[in-house]
Amino acid sequence: MKPMTARTFSPNIKGTGLGLRACHYAHILKDLPDIPWFEVVTENYMVSGGMVLERLAQIRAHYPIVFHGVGLSIGGTTPLNAAYLSQLKGMVDRFEPAYVSDHLCWTSLDGQQSHELLPLPYTGEAIGHVVKRIRQVQDFLGQQILIENISNYLTYVDSTLPEWEFLNAIAEQADCFILLDINNIYVNAYNHRFNAMQYLHAINPERVKQYHLAGFLDCGTHLIDTHGAKISKPVLQLYETALQQIGNHPTCIEWDNNIPEFSILLREQQKINSVVASVFCEAI
Amino acid sequence: MPKLAVLQKKIFSSLTNNNDELIDTNYFEKNGVLSAEMGLSIYKNSLITTLLNSMRDTYDICVRLTGDDFFNAMAKIYMAQTPSYNENIDHYGETFSEFIADFPHAKELPYLSDVARLEWAWHKALHAKNIEPFNPETLIQLSEEDHPRIVFHLPPSMTLIASDYPINDIWRVNQKEYEEEPAVSLDKGGVKLLVWRQKMDTRIEILEENEWALLCALEQGLSMGELDDALDETQMTELSNLLASCVKRGWIAGYVLA
Ligand SMILES: [Fe+2]
């Protein structure tokens, strides 16, 4: 395996990928569906051995993958978990993902895990803190990472910036990239009453390398980002705007709850392909 | 302490201890449709659901034995007193069988704790380190004097479980694929089991008394010279056969010299 050189970034994925879920392993390996790449939740493979790693290796032999983490806790105020980072690096060396991403949030305290993506206040203090930690992670991994905007359900009195300025500032200062989750923007815009278009307009397109799309749950008063449904119409419209304003980037469909048959995911994927084709006048 | 650290400590404690102390503070504001109370409760619910779903996956036989309501209630009490320390949520729940053993409401299902132990052993075996099969020919190079110093070790996937109940049958008849009535006679008595994984094949094996005695001694780290402390006379006379059969079945992973 070739050693990583610092600060290189060589995206080798294109088009609409899918989140890899264990219940689809058998189908994928049997049919080898026409999917350009899969996104893998990194922590699910943080085990010593056995079938899940075996399956990932088999799938990797046929498809490019990206690593998407949920446990880095980049915004946490207790030290980054060195054992976690070493394990992540070992996996990056073994599976050579096109991207390594995690969320702009905090998830743990003193090693105790919430398994939740908890929001940060949008302050200068938080920017400085997160930037320092992203640099630490990038130096350790020897490559740039992507950070994703989350859905959040709390608004801090302390916040002095809008979410998009917070995200831009961190990406710029840490010299990392953005994984822009369109569904999360929509959910936050609805719950916190801001203009999603303004968010897209403000995001620095130079920093965006990947999109996420997913379905939410409408609770009447508010929306919850459940990743348990089809992508909604307004989110598709927002995605179209993102393609126009920010550019054409690899897009992953996330579906983690009430996971449907693979054929339904394929249909969602084709739907996204046709949105991309319509924006860029490409033949599907 | 920096402001951010204080804030995170408070939020974490509120979410994991499920208290409401944060709601009336001035940390949050309502700038859209969500009050602080609603926001915190979304996180609290999600945190519990996520852990509970993971527990239900790991302990799905226990779920069948107790029913959903009982299992969920019991698991939530366990979760409230057992923090998660691994980023991979799959590693959560190792001590659940010990909790069940002391859980007064589970006394009517006296085998439940052992079934949970079996389920965790299975779960552990699934994700344990892959190993190369042990080659007994490597023993040939050892001199006669080295023999008492040999400490054989067991595969990392292996768990030894003794139960007063036929938990292997309970396990088998409660598998989703099992088509008959899931009935087990508890009169069948106890079993000694070995759970392990050979390549990608996870298995439950029923052990003979002498196999059990030897594997337990090896698990404790006893050297060949110390085995007579743990094995009786008949077992000692059969030792070389017993060892050879354990090696052949893949139950010995390797050795070191003490
Ligand atoms: Fe996402």
Side-chain angles (χ1 to χ4, degrees):
Chain A
M1 206 148 294
K2 56 185 184 307
M4 303 270 179
T5 34
R7 297 270 167 256
T8 57
F9 202 82
S10 51
N12 53 9
I13 53 164
K14 267 189 186 163
T16 314
L18 294 177
L20 179 65
R21 306 293 174 248
C23 56
H24 295 138
Y25 289 156
H27 176 85
I28 294 167
L29 287 167
K30 187 171 135 276
D31 279 20
L32 298 179
D34 186 18
I35 300 290
W37 50 279
F38 284 101
E39 184 176 80
V40 164
V41 175
T42 326
E43 288 75 9
N44 292 352
Y45 300 87
M46 290 193 161
V47 291
S48 310
M51 201 48 124
V52 297
L53 280 174
E54 187 85 353
R55 288 282 179 258
L56 183 58
Q58 288 163 348
I59 286 165
R60 179 68 185 93
H62 295 284
Y63 298 94
I65 57 170
V66 301
F67 275 173
H68 184 50
V70 293
L72 180 60
S73 200
I74 200 70
T77 46
T78 53
L80 287 163
N81 181 354
Y84 172 92
L85 285 175
S86 307
Q87 206 170 353
L88 176 59
K89 191 172 164 58
M91 288 171 62
V92 169
D93 289 345
R94 174 170 177 195
F95 293 104
E96 300 186 310
Y99 300 155
V100 175
S101 65
D102 204 298
H103 299 83
L104 180 50
C105 69
W106 62 288
T107 56
S108 62
L109 192 87
D110 285 323
Q112 189 182 336
Q113 307 296 320
S114 70
H115 303 291
E116 287 297 315
L117 307 173
L118 300 168
L120 291 159
Y122 308 137
T123 62
E125 182 198 10
I127 292 173
H129 179 71
V130 174
V131 164
K132 209 167 65 198
R133 282 164 69 104
I134 293 177
R135 286 186 171 276
Q136 206 182 325
V137 171
Q138 294 188 144
D139 287 347
F140 181 79
L141 293 178
Q143 68 177 70
Q144 286 167 287
I145 62 168
L146 282 65
I147 48 163
E148 177 184 352
N149 58 301
I150 58 165
S151 292
N152 72 62
Y153 307 98
L154 289 170
T155 303
Y156 296 106
V157 171
D158 279 355
S159 290
T160 54
L161 302 165
E163 186 188 328
W164 51 89
E165 280 182 35
F166 183 69
L167 181 58
N168 274 340
I170 288 173
E172 201 54 42
Q173 291 175 36
D175 193 17
C176 70
F177 294 108
I178 294 173
L179 193 181
L180 200 62
D181 188 312
I182 305 297
N183 185 58
N184 289 349
I185 294 178
Y186 183 78
V187 166
N188 285 354
Y190 183 93
N191 289 340
H192 304 303
R193 292 287 183 251
F194 63 75
N195 185 336
M197 291 295 183
Q198 190 188 351
Y199 193 127
L200 287 185
H201 201 71
I203 282 297
N204 177 1
E206 305 278 296
R207 290 283 162 189
V208 176
K209 291 288 177 198
Q210 191 193 328
Y211 296 118
H212 266 177
L213 292 170
F216 58 78
L217 177 71
D218 188 341
C219 301
T221 47
H222 58 279
L223 309 181
I224 297 188
D225 171 41
T226 50
H227 294 182
K230 288 186 179 170
I231 302 154
S232 72
K233 277 223 172 71
V235 170
L236 280 176
Q237 279 162 7
L238 206 55
Y239 176 61
E240 214 176 304
T241 310
L243 292 172
Q244 286 156 353
Q245 296 197 355
I246 296 171
N248 188 3
H249 296 290
T251 300
C252 174
I253 302 171
E254 300 182 287
W255 201 319
D256 314 87
N257 289 301
N258 308 316
I259 302 175
E261 277 175 38
F262 200 79
S263 59
I264 309 259
L265 291 183
L266 273 177
R267 236 175 290 154
E268 284 291 279
Q269 195 243 10
Q270 279 150 15
K271 201 157 77 188
I272 302 310
N273 282 344
S274 47
V275 173
V276 177
S278 73
V279 172
F280 296 101
C281 304
E282 286 169 0
I284 304 172
Chain B
M1 205 188 284
K3 238 176 158 180
L4 189 60
V6 176
L7 181 69
Q8 292 191 356
K9 258 203 154 81
K10 295 235 162 150
I11 293 177
F12 205 84
S13 136
S14 163
L15 294 180
T16 53
N17 301 326
N18 196 22
N19 64 42
D20 291 337
E21 68 179 29
L22 272 183
I23 287 172
D24 296 321
T25 64
N26 52 5
Y27 284 114
F28 310 108
E29 64 186 356
K30 182 176 173 182
N31 78 339
V33 296
L34 289 168
S35 63
E37 195 169 355
M38 285 163 81
L40 286 166
S41 83
I42 289 172
Y43 287 111
K44 280 179 197 167
N45 288 336
S46 172
L47 187 140
I48 289 171
T49 310
T50 306
L51 271 189
L52 184 62
N53 286 340
S54 164
M55 292 283 288
R56 290 175 59 92
D57 282 348
T58 306
Y59 293 105
D60 71 315
I61 309 280
C62 288
V63 174
R64 274 160 184 257
L65 292 173
T66 59
D68 284 325
D69 292 347
F70 186 94
F71 184 89
N72 294 354
M74 178 168 69
K76 281 180 188 173
I77 298 171
Y78 171 77
M79 284 152 46
Q81 61 191 53
T82 317
S84 172
Y85 281 103
N86 199 298
E87 286 83 356
N88 181 354
I89 199 169
D90 254 353
H91 296 296
Y92 182 74
E94 182 172 7
T95 54
F96 193 43
S97 64
E98 294 157 38
F99 168 85
I100 295 175
D102 294 333
F103 188 60
H105 305 288
K107 290 281 180 273
E108 274 174 44
L109 298 174
Y111 44 81
L112 191 65
S113 165
D114 288 350
V115 172
R117 234 175 350 133
L118 181 57
E119 293 202 90
W120 184 262
W122 181 273
H123 189 73
K124 182 186 106 175
L126 282 180
H127 300 313
K129 198 168 176 244
N130 304 346
I131 54 163
E132 290 303 316
F134 170 57
N135 177 5
E137 282 175 25
T138 55
L139 291 168
I140 295 169
Q141 58 188 354
L142 298 180
S143 67
E144 196 78 8
E145 299 91 84
D146 284 337
H147 285 181
R149 293 170 54 218
I150 299 173
V151 182
F152 287 106
H153 53 254
L154 307 177
S157 64
M158 198 176 268
T159 306
L160 295 158
I161 299 177
S163 174
D164 293 336
Y165 303 94
I167 54 171
N168 54 320
D169 286 339
I170 297 175
W171 164 279
R172 189 171 45 81
V173 304
N174 281 289
Q175 295 298 316
K176 283 185 199 88
E177 310 79 77
Y178 191 78
E179 281 165 1
E180 289 155 57
E181 188 62 24
V184 173
S185 164
L186 295 184
D187 300 337
K188 250 185 119 174
V191 275
K192 296 195 161 74
L193 301 175
L194 167 65
V195 184
W196 72 301
R197 201 185 79 228
Q198 186 166 43
K199 296 221 170 90
M200 292 303 141
D201 184 19
T202 303
R203 296 182 199 174
I204 299 173
E205 323 250 17
I206 302 170
L207 295 181
E208 303 288 335
E209 208 52 58
N210 52 2
E211 293 168 335
W212 170 263
L214 175 62
L215 293 174
C216 284
L218 297 181
E219 191 185 41
Q220 283 168 41
L222 296 189
S223 67
M224 290 302 285
E226 294 164 331
L227 280 182
D228 54 356
D229 294 346
L231 303 183
D232 65 27
E233 236 169 88
T234 356
Q235 286 164 342
M236 282 307 286
T237 51
E238 286 169 15
L239 184 58
S240 50
N241 284 339
L242 198 51
L243 260 175
S245 122
C246 287
V247 168
K248 202 169 145 214
R249 300 187 69 171
W251 297 347
I252 304 288
Y255 70 90
V256 288
L257 291 182

